[in-house]
Amino acid sequence: MTPTGPIETIDWHTGGEPFRIVPDSPDAVTGDGLTVAERRILATESDEVQWLRALLCSEPRGHADMYGGFLVPPDDAGAHLGVLFWHKDGFSTACGHGTIALGAWAVASGRVPAPADGLTDVVVDVPSGRVTATVRTSGGLVEDVTFTNVASHVHARGVEVATSRGTVTVDIAFGGAMYAVLPAAATGLRVRPQDVTELIAAGREIRDGLNAAGAAEHPGDARLSGIYGTIFTEEVRPPRLRSDGTRQLHQRNITVFADGEVDRSPCGSGTSARVALLADAGELCPGDELRHESVVGSVFRARITERTTAHGRPAVITAVTGTAHAVGTCRFTVDPRDVLVPGFVLR
């Protein structure tokens, strides 16, 4: 599986969460006539693609919490880009922080033309559907990016799951992927760096218990089923009434996704799932804003842009605004004598 030449990547981060962009993706996922959702299935079945994912994600080229994406053709000419999101355990169906980074990169690199001052929509096809990254530029520089997601909805309320910290009750919502959401206090923990190791363990238990019970079967597409992440929440301060009569909620979260990865950002698709739950409870209305902090203190601002339906149930379209910054470019090589290729993962 050794590649014939160097592998070029462009590395960004969104709110502290890495996003490694791979412009030249393997032939196995770049053929004509496929949707991005279908390309994701091919990626999971391809030894070549899985090898390259492992090479770029694992040590010594990556780490246990690395994240990135292979650029692929979009579903049709209505989108600028297609992307297959990946992490140490495989390929995810959605990624808000990655979409924000892609939008910023597409404009900053000139791949999508943009004015020096104004808004530019970068349309991206992802496995869960078509999303938009609206890039705001000022003086020729990217200021921030607003990620408009697929419809997000509540899947289930009040689902009990046994953990080593006792039985906890979670709500399940879809924001491009399925998330289990609960207060961190329900496990006796806080959303803070010193509790991360214990939050990872609890998040894994919750995910595994819910998936074993089949608690997150997507109503319209089996490829989107299964708990992808566990979101632990806490309130930073009570809701604040703003001068225009709308409210701002200020909350903090940590998302433990895949097999124990920790999102350093407030998690874009997870924020959408959180907004769906708050909207369903009447705690967040159109015009209101959720100020969503991560465990490292980075912030997304989220709002409802539209009420809609999805698969016969109430849903919302969310807009999540954040910032992304370039980290560097990489030119990875492989020595055929290296017995540790494609790499290893230690936590």
Side-chain angles (χ1 to χ4, degrees):
M1 285 295 171
T2 302
T4 57
I7 303 155
E8 310 282 348
T9 71
I10 307 105
D11 285 19
W12 284 66
H13 82 88
T14 304
E17 179 70 0
F19 192 71
R20 177 163 284 169
I21 301 168
V22 188
D24 298 320
S25 298
D27 292 343
V29 291
T30 57
D32 295 334
L34 297 171
T35 66
V36 173
E38 291 167 338
R39 296 181 198 279
R40 176 176 174 262
I41 299 302
L42 283 181
T44 64
E45 297 172 346
S46 166
D47 290 342
E48 173 195 8
V49 180
Q50 290 281 24
W51 186 91
L52 183 58
R53 175 196 59 76
L55 182 82
L56 295 175
C57 201
S58 306
E59 296 184 51
R61 296 164 188 85
H63 51 80
D65 292 283
M66 193 64 201
Y67 204 101
F70 296 133
L71 295 190
V72 296
D75 291 358
D76 56 52
H80 296 99
L81 304 167
V83 60
L84 298 177
F85 299 118
W86 47 256
H87 47 74
K88 73 177 177 63
D89 300 304
F91 294 86
S92 53
T93 60
C95 178
H97 94 271
T99 301
I100 289 172
L102 276 175
W105 165 77
V107 166
S109 66
R111 181 160 181 151
V112 175
D117 301 280
L119 300 174
T120 302
D121 285 346
V122 179
V123 183
V124 186
D125 283 333
V126 307
S128 59
R130 179 161 288 177
V131 300
T132 301
T134 301
V135 183
R136 183 171 67 91
T137 48
S138 177
L141 300 176
V142 173
E143 293 292 331
D144 56 35
V145 181
T146 297
F147 157 58
T148 302
N149 201 1
V150 299
S152 301
H153 60 84
V154 175
H155 179 74
R157 290 276 193 182
V159 180
E160 291 189 345
V161 56
T163 76
S164 59
R165 293 178 168 270
T167 297
V168 296
T169 301
V170 308
D171 297 323
I172 300 173
F174 177 81
M178 290 284 189
Y179 291 91
V181 184
L182 73 161
T187 60
L189 299 169
R190 294 282 311 280
V191 179
R192 55 186 182 180
Q194 56 264 48
D195 286 0
V196 164
T197 299
E198 292 170 292
L199 287 164
I200 290 172
R204 279 173 156 165
E205 288 183 333
I206 291 167
R207 180 206 62 173
D208 291 347
L210 292 171
N211 285 340
E217 299 301 311
H218 190 276
D221 188 341
R223 295 172 297 187
L224 303 176
S225 294
I227 296 295
Y228 172 60
T230 304
I231 302 175
F232 298 95
T233 68
E234 63 184 29
E235 188 175 70
V236 176
R237 68 180 182 203
R240 178 173 65 89
L241 188 65
R242 300 188 289 189
S243 58
D244 61 1
T246 62
R247 293 175 298 173
Q248 184 189 68
L249 280 64
H250 191 175
Q251 300 180 356
R252 185 178 295 117
N253 90 97
I254 185 170
T255 300
V256 180
F257 67 93
D259 187 23
E261 290 200 39
V262 173
D263 200 325
R264 274 73 172 151
S265 83
C267 187
S269 55
T271 295
S272 293
R274 182 67 178 140
V275 168
L277 287 164
L278 292 169
D280 178 70
E283 297 178 46
L284 194 75
C285 300
D288 296 342
E289 179 184 85
L290 170 64
R291 180 180 173 88
H292 218 200
E293 284 188 23
S294 76
V295 71
V296 301
S298 54
V299 176
F300 286 166
R301 293 177 288 112
R303 56 190 172 85
I304 299 165
T305 63
E306 179 186 347
R307 291 191 183 274
T308 184
T309 58
H311 311 290
R313 62 187 69 192
V316 291
I317 302 297
T318 64
V320 180
T321 301
T323 56
H325 301 280
V327 173
T329 58
C330 300
R331 190 171 186 264
F332 292 106
T333 57
V334 174
D335 185 335
R337 300 167 299 170
D338 186 349
V339 296
L340 292 179
V341 168
F344 55 91
V345 174
L346 292 178
R347 182 166 298 285

